[in-house]
Amino acid sequence: MTQDLKSAKALVQGYNAARDVAASGDATAAACQSYLSSDHTYRGMRPFYDIEGSKALAETVWSPLKSAMSTIQRRPDIFFASHADLDPEAGAWVVEMGNLLCDFTADWLSIPATGKSIYLPYATMSRVLAGTIVETVEFLDILAVLTQAGRNPLALHQTGGMMMSPGPKTHDGLVCNPLPEDLTRDTYDLTHAMLTDLALGYTSPGDHLVRFWHPNMNWFGPTGIGVSLSIPGYQRGHTLPFEKKQDVVKIHDWELALAEGNFAAFMWWPCLTLRNTGDYLGVPANDAAAEMRVVDLYRRDGDKLAENWIFIDILHFLAEQGVDLLANTGETE
């Protein structure tokens, strides 16, 4: 691991710590300003989307979240750094994934407070350049909060299980120490090969799964799709209903590919453009061409992929089909 990546990790950890402990909106804005470049860009899930500058990010995302959640505990399960495509001359990115454990005591994004503890899954990718964070891509699973608050009318249509996704089975997702380069390269190559094969038609036939996935794989999908365990469970809980009820309009190239040790992350904005032909996720079939924006995190085990955590902007995907769950938070399940 180069000093560049070590420094990038330390910078992101410092930013998280400073922002997390900030006690006011002004302090949150100051923490963002201290660690983010003056022209920092942020891409987030619906309703945040594109945000320019640290002040706007603090005012739009972090200060309202911290005002609504009287306690926030960051629980990272995966943390690593990588150059894009493993090219030392490319940008340095830091990847973090886990859950924010929150005490939901005031309304947030029009979601009525529950007065109870909730979890907010997140995946964050931060690009570091010259000692500052210049770009952030962040997936906050807001639909998980809607569902825990009983305000997701489509919750019963989830094809997989509903749970707070755990970290890696091996409990080694926080990569802090240098690792052999060949370990990283093997992970990158296997994940790259699997995704290249998958993109040929974006279906998961049995031979594809057997070639690339451990038989006892874990697939931790976003709220709306849910969790599936083992290859048969994955087919039952995700791939079969997904492929039966969606037509692929376009397969997009990934934008970012990263790996360190046994972990990898790939990001698409978007990944797929789809047409809902069969009441997918409880939304009636329609003619809309809807985007799925995705970040995938993987753990390799030998010559197979063993675990996959996937974040999808489901709220955006649904809104493009005319279903705005954030506009209907007064409706319960």
Side-chain angles (χ1 to χ4, degrees):
M1 180 169 60
T2 67
Q3 184 63 42
D4 179 32
L5 296 184
K6 290 176 66 175
S7 299
K9 287 181 181 180
L11 180 71
V12 170
Q13 288 174 321
Y15 170 52
N16 287 343
R19 191 189 61 228
D20 289 353
V21 302
S24 67
D26 288 343
T28 299
C32 291
Q33 185 177 15
S34 296
Y35 287 89
L36 307 181
S37 67
S38 59
D39 58 350
H40 176 268
T41 61
Y42 178 95
R43 281 185 284 173
M45 296 175 71
R46 179 178 177 87
F48 301 131
Y49 295 131
D50 297 334
I51 302 172
E52 301 290 333
S54 63
K55 184 174 185 292
L57 176 59
E59 292 176 348
T60 304
V61 178
W62 291 107
S63 292
L65 177 61
K66 295 182 72 173
S67 294
M69 311 295 176
S70 54
T71 296
I72 300 179
Q73 296 180 4
R74 178 178 299 274
R75 298 293 183 93
D77 292 307
I78 293 177
F79 183 81
F80 69 87
S82 173
H83 295 288
D85 295 317
L86 305 189
D87 179 359
E89 302 303 316
W93 288 82
V94 178
V95 179
E96 181 173 310
M97 186 217 78
N99 289 276
L100 300 177
L101 304 188
C102 308
D103 194 12
F104 192 7
T105 54
D107 296 356
W108 181 55
L109 300 177
S110 76
I111 306 170
T114 64
K116 300 177 181 179
S117 299
I118 58 98
Y119 62 91
L120 174 57
Y122 71 91
T124 307
M125 310 172 88
S126 305
R127 182 164 70 94
V128 174
L129 181 66
T132 188
I133 300 169
V134 298
E135 181 181 358
T136 303
V137 179
E138 187 156 64
F139 284 69
L140 300 175
D141 192 348
I142 297 164
L143 186 54
V145 178
L146 269 169
T147 303
Q148 292 168 81
R151 305 289 173 164
N152 175 10
L154 307 179
L156 295 178
H157 299 274
Q158 182 164 297
T159 55
M162 180 69 191
M163 67 173 70
M164 183 175 74
S165 298
K169 185 177 180 180
T170 46
H171 301 286
D172 58 353
L174 305 181
V175 183
C176 300
N177 298 314
L179 294 171
E181 291 184 7
D182 59 345
L183 191 66
T184 294
R185 173 56 66 178
D186 287 348
T187 300
Y188 179 90
D189 288 346
L190 176 62
T191 311
H192 188 284
M194 184 278 294
L195 291 170
T196 300
D197 188 76
L198 180 63
L200 294 175
Y202 234 89
T203 60
S204 299
D207 64 329
H208 168 88
L209 294 172
V210 169
R211 276 187 291 134
F212 291 105
W213 291 94
H214 193 285
N216 290 321
M217 64 176 289
N218 297 328
W219 193 83
F220 302 110
T223 305
I225 298 177
V227 173
S228 298
L229 306 180
S230 77
I231 287 179
Y234 175 56
Q235 292 173 308
R236 185 176 63 252
H238 174 52
T239 61
L240 294 179
F242 180 87
E243 293 164 11
K244 179 181 179 181
K245 297 183 176 184
Q246 297 283 317
D247 279 348
V248 176
V249 176
K250 184 175 181 179
I251 301 170
H252 302 266
D253 292 335
W254 58 70
E255 182 175 338
L256 187 61
L258 307 166
E260 187 177 24
N262 289 320
F263 295 91
F266 282 63
M267 185 270 285
W268 299 257
W269 202 281
C271 174
L272 296 169
T273 301
L274 300 165
R275 186 167 283 114
N276 180 356
T277 60
D279 192 36
Y280 186 62
L281 303 184
V283 178
N286 58 81
D287 292 328
E291 290 182 349
M292 274 194 166
R293 298 172 173 179
V294 176
V295 63
D296 266 312
L297 293 95
Y298 300 89
R299 180 178 69 83
R300 179 176 64 87
D301 182 357
D303 62 352
K304 304 290 185 182
L305 295 171
E307 298 189 275
N308 181 195
W309 298 260
I310 178 168
F311 289 74
I312 302 174
D313 192 346
I314 296 291
L315 292 178
H316 173 69
F317 177 66
L318 296 178
E320 290 205 316
Q321 299 174 68
V323 178
D324 187 353
L325 294 185
L326 287 175
N328 298 295
T329 54
E331 300 178 10
T332 63
E333 296 175 12

